[in-house]
Amino acid sequence: KMINVRHVRAVNLLSPTKIGGDFAINPYVGCPHKCIYCYAACINWSGAERDEAWGDYLDVKDQAHPIDPAKIFRKRILFSSMTDAYNPYEEKAEVTRGILKQLIPAEVKITVITKSALVVRDIDLFKRFPYVKVIFSFSSLDDGFRRKVEPYAASPERKIAALMTLKGAGIATGVFVAPTFPVISDPVAITHAVAPYVCRMTYDTLNLRRKNRDAVLGFIRREYPQLTELYDDIFLRGDKRYWIGLRKEIRAACLEERVNCGVFF
C-alpha cells in the first residue's frame, strides 16, 4: 500500500490529557491502519484539508526540541490518543522508539494503546521504566472481519501472541474491546480468549460521528444487509436495548474469568 509520508515540524510533542495520563504523545498525524470506523479521522490536527483519504497519509512529527525531562518527571504518558504509535511505518522509522529513549531519564509511567504486534520490539526499553502498560484494542476475533474494517492492523492471533510475550516479560497488559459492532463483534468470546494474559479489560460501543457514520452504516448495508435494520435502530433511532443486554453478558464473562473489567456503556 502506498502511503503519502511527509515530515512536519512539531514544537511540542506533549499534549495535556485527562484520558489515561497527564500527557499524550502522538508521534504521527494520520494512521496507515486505515480503520473505517476511526474517530480520529474526524479531527484534523493540522487544521488543513487533505486530498488523501484517511489511512492514505502519514505525517511524521520531527521534534523542534528534545523533551525536557524535568517537565514530565514521574508523570503519566499515554501513547497515543490520535494515532497508533506502532503503525507499520514505525517498524523502520523508529520514531516512537526514539521518543521512548528520551523519556527514560524522566522516570515516567507509560500506557500504550495499539493494534500492532510491533510493540513487543520495545520490551527492552519498557523494562527501563518504573511502569509500562500495553493495551491492545480488539474489534473481533474474526480475521476476515478485521481485514475488512482495519485492513492494516495486526490480526487477532498476532495480538494475542504479543499479549503472551509481554506478560511473559513482566509488562502489564490490558485489552480494550472497541469498537463493538453489534452482533458481529463478540466481546464475550474476546474475553475468554485474552483473559489469561491481561490484568484488566475495558469495553466500549461503536461510536459514530458525523464523518464516520455514513461510512460505517454504508459498510453494514453492503456486507451485512441483514443487520441494517438493527444498526438503524441503534445508531439512528437511539435504541439502547442491545447494549443493556450485552453489558450483562460481558459482566458475567468477566466474573467467570475473574478478570477486572470496566464497561463504558
Side-chain angles (χ1 to χ4, degrees):
K1 184 177 78 143
M2 291 297 295
I3 298 292
N4 183 12
V5 178
R6 70 181 188 184
H7 288 255
V8 297
R9 188 173 182 268
V11 176
N12 185 8
L13 287 179
L14 299 167
S15 302
T17 183
K18 295 180 180 178
I19 303 172
D22 299 302
F23 295 96
I25 295 180
N26 291 283
Y28 301 94
V29 179
C31 183
H33 286 159
K34 207 173 173 67
C35 304
I36 67 166
Y37 53 77
C38 184
Y39 70 88
C42 304
I43 306 168
N44 193 306
W45 172 79
S46 66
E49 289 297 324
R50 300 292 298 249
D51 294 330
E52 310 94 327
W54 178 258
D56 290 340
Y57 68 86
L58 187 72
D59 290 352
V60 183
K61 293 184 183 179
D62 293 334
Q63 291 177 250
H65 311 285
I67 295 171
D68 179 3
K71 182 178 180 181
I72 57 170
F73 188 64
R74 294 183 177 171
K75 297 290 188 181
R76 298 173 301 141
I77 307 293
L78 170 67
F79 288 86
S80 299
S81 57
M82 295 294 294
T83 187
D84 194 322
Y86 288 94
N87 69 70
Y89 183 82
E90 168 65 20
E91 185 169 7
K92 291 184 178 179
E94 297 193 355
V95 177
T96 298
R97 185 170 174 84
I99 295 169
L100 285 169
K101 290 177 179 177
Q102 293 179 57
L103 297 178
I104 292 170
E107 299 179 17
V108 293
K109 296 180 178 180
I110 289 176
T111 300
V112 176
I113 302 175
T114 186
K115 289 181 169 68
S116 173
L118 177 62
V119 68
V120 300
R121 177 199 67 186
D122 291 341
I123 287 174
D124 62 323
L125 297 183
F126 294 157
K127 290 184 174 182
R128 299 178 65 183
F129 290 92
Y131 179 82
V132 174
K133 183 175 185 179
V134 177
I135 301 171
F136 281 95
S137 62
F138 279 75
S139 60
S140 176
L141 294 177
D142 177 358
D143 196 47
F145 178 71
R146 189 274 309 171
R147 288 194 296 268
K148 293 177 182 178
V149 298
E150 44 190 47
Y152 300 101
S155 68
E157 292 78 11
R158 290 183 65 209
K159 288 191 286 189
I160 292 172
L163 282 167
M164 295 172 63
T165 300
L166 289 159
K167 184 179 181 183
I171 306 297
T173 54
V175 160
F176 183 34
V177 181
T180 299
F181 282 76
V183 178
I184 303 168
S185 300
D186 189 343
V188 171
I190 296 171
T191 302
H192 293 311
V194 305
Y197 317 115
V198 300
C199 55
R200 178 171 168 80
M201 296 189 65
T202 51
Y203 305 79
D204 203 357
T205 60
L206 170 60
N207 292 307
L208 299 185
R209 304 188 183 195
R210 181 175 57 87
K211 285 194 175 181
N212 67 349
R213 184 180 65 186
D214 290 348
V216 171
L217 294 182
F219 165 79
I220 294 298
R221 290 185 176 97
R222 288 191 310 274
E223 301 289 336
Y224 302 90
Q226 71 278 16
L227 298 179
T228 297
E229 188 169 352
L230 173 66
Y231 274 65
D232 286 351
D233 281 343
I234 294 171
F235 297 108
L236 299 181
R237 294 186 278 272
D239 191 333
K240 300 286 195 293
R241 286 175 295 176
Y242 180 84
W243 301 120
I244 293 169
L246 185 60
R247 184 167 61 222
K248 293 177 181 177
E249 294 179 23
I250 289 171
R251 287 178 172 162
C254 290
L255 190 62
E256 180 183 344
E257 293 288 354
R258 298 182 180 179
V259 64
N260 186 7
C261 73
V263 183
F264 300 147
F265 58 82

